[in-house]
Amino acid sequence: MSPQNMMIVDLDAGTDDAHALLMLLAADKRQEIKLMGVTCVNGNTSMKNVCLNVLRILRSVNRLDIPVFCGAVDPLILPNPAAPIVSFPSFHGSDGFGDANLPNPPDINLVKSENAICALNRIVSENPGQLTLVCLGPLTNIALAIKTFPNFLTQVRDVYIMGGNSSGLGNMTPSAEFNFFHDPESAHIVLECAQKPLVILPWEACLNRGISFEWRNKVLGAIESPQMELMNAAEHDIWKDYSEWLPCDALLTAVALHPQAGKGKLCHMSVELSGWKTRGQSVIDSKHGKPNVNLLEEVDLEVLKKLLILAMEKY
C-alpha cells in the first residue's frame, strides 16, 4: 500500500457523515487507503452523540480498531447574545441519527483519551506529507490544530472540505451553509492558512447532484447488511419532505477517494465574519486573490453510487 493513501476524517456524525465514513472504511478494507483515525467535532449534534454515532458505524462493520478521538465541543466563538437567534440544527435529529431510538448504545469509553487536536498533529507529524484530511463538519478541530501546532498544515498532503457556498445560497441562513455558519472563525483560519489549494465542495454543488429516492431506497437501501440496516433506521424520517437525496459528505468523500470524479475551478475564498445577515457566507474572488481553493462544481454521481454500494455490502 502506498503511504500516500493515509487519511484522517474529521466529522460531526450526522447521517451523511455516516455514509462518508462507511465509504472510507470500505476503501480501507480494499486496501486502497489506510484510515488512520476519526476525529469528532461538535456540529450536527453534541460531542457525546457524535462519538456514539461514530462508534455505532464502526461497530456495524466490525472496525472498532479504528481510533476515535473527541475534539472541540463548541465553536471558537460562541454566538453573540444580541445576534438573531438561530435554533440548533435539527435536520439529522437531536442525536444526529434521526432520533431513531437505536438500541444497544456502544461503550463511550472506547473513545481514546487523547484529544483530537493533539491526535491530528501527532498522526500528521509521524507521517509528514502523506496524510489527507477529509473534513465533513465545522472546521474547529482543524483551526485549533493549525493555531496550536505551527507546522501542522505544512505537513498535510491534501485537505478536502465539505462546506461554504459559491453563490451566496445557504441552507442554515439565506446566505450561509451550515458548516461554515456554525464556526465562521475556524473556516476563516483554515482558508487564510492554506498552504496550497484546499478542495472544497460547496452547498450549491450538492444541490446540483441529488439522487432519486427510488435508487436510495430500492437499490442502496435494499442491500442486506448491518451497516445498511443502521443507515435505513437513522434516515427513516429525516428525508420525508425532500424530493431528492443529498448525501453531501458522501459526495465530497467520493472525490477524496477518486479525485478524477470531481471538476472544479481555482479561486480565492474567504468567509464573512461580521455581517448581520451574511455571517458565515463564503466570498469568492476569481480575479484578485491568490487561489486558495479548488472549488468543486461537479461530482460524478456514478462514481459515488458505486462507492456507496461497496460501502454497504456485508463484510
Side-chain angles (χ1 to χ4, degrees), residues 29-267:
K29 182 176 182 291
R30 298 191 300 271
Q31 298 188 345
E32 295 175 359
I33 68 165
K34 176 66 174 176
L35 185 58
M36 303 295 288
V38 181
T39 53
C40 300
V41 65
N42 171 271
N44 283 316
T45 185
S46 69
M47 176 56 61
K48 181 178 180 181
N49 285 334
V50 172
C51 292
L52 287 172
N53 291 342
V54 168
L55 292 172
R56 284 188 177 98
I57 297 160
L58 297 178
R59 184 176 64 183
S60 74
V61 291
N62 297 313
R63 289 304 311 270
L64 287 169
D65 58 298
I66 301 291
V68 180
F69 305 94
C70 174
V73 299
D74 286 308
L76 287 185
I77 297 178
L78 294 175
N80 183 344
I85 296 174
V86 178
S87 61
F88 192 84
S90 59
F91 175 79
H92 296 276
S94 62
D95 68 351
F97 265 21
D99 294 321
N101 295 316
L102 298 169
N104 304 318
D107 182 1
I108 194 69
N109 292 316
L110 291 170
V111 176
K112 301 298 182 183
S113 60
E114 183 181 18
N115 185 272
I117 290 89
C118 296
L120 280 164
N121 181 67
R122 175 181 57 78
I123 297 170
V124 166
S125 62
E126 289 172 353
N127 303 280
Q130 299 175 12
L131 259 295
T132 293
L133 297 180
V134 181
C135 307
L136 306 178
L139 293 169
T140 318
N141 286 342
I142 310 305
L144 285 169
I146 290 170
K147 286 300 185 181
T148 306
F149 304 103
N151 295 324
F152 172 73
L153 206 52
T154 64
Q155 298 183 89
V156 173
R157 182 183 180 222
D158 292 302
V159 181
Y160 289 80
I161 296 170
M162 193 282 124
N165 47 17
S166 57
S167 62
L169 180 64
N171 64 346
M172 187 62 181
T173 71
S175 61
E177 177 273 335
F178 171 73
N179 285 340
F180 276 27
F181 177 82
H182 187 80
D183 193 344
E185 283 73 24
S186 287
H188 172 78
I189 289 169
V190 175
L191 289 168
E192 292 300 314
C193 294
Q195 300 294 309
K196 61 179 181 178
L198 314 164
V199 180
I200 292 186
L201 177 71
W203 172 240
E204 293 89 340
C206 298
L207 288 175
N208 295 333
R209 299 279 81 185
I211 295 175
S212 73
F213 282 110
E214 183 177 7
W215 187 89
R216 162 61 182 86
N217 296 328
K218 295 183 179 180
V219 178
L220 186 68
I223 296 173
E224 295 184 3
S225 66
Q227 64 269 37
M228 193 69 254
E229 181 180 356
L230 173 64
M231 296 316 305
N232 282 340
E235 290 191 310
H236 185 266
D237 291 327
I238 64 176
W239 290 102
K240 58 186 178 182
D241 296 326
Y242 290 78
S243 59
E244 290 185 309
W245 186 48
L246 300 173
C248 300
D249 293 337
L251 279 163
L252 175 75
T253 303
V255 181
L257 290 171
H258 294 277
Q260 72 278 9
K263 295 181 180 180
K265 64 179 180 181
L266 291 173
C267 60

Side-chain angles (χ1 to χ4, degrees), residues 293-312:
V293 305
N294 178 8
L295 190 67
L296 293 173
E297 298 174 303
E298 296 181 26
V299 178
D300 189 330
L301 284 184
E302 294 307 310
V303 172
L304 172 63
K305 288 178 178 180
K306 290 177 182 177
L307 291 172
L308 284 167
I309 287 173
L310 289 171
M312 295 305 169

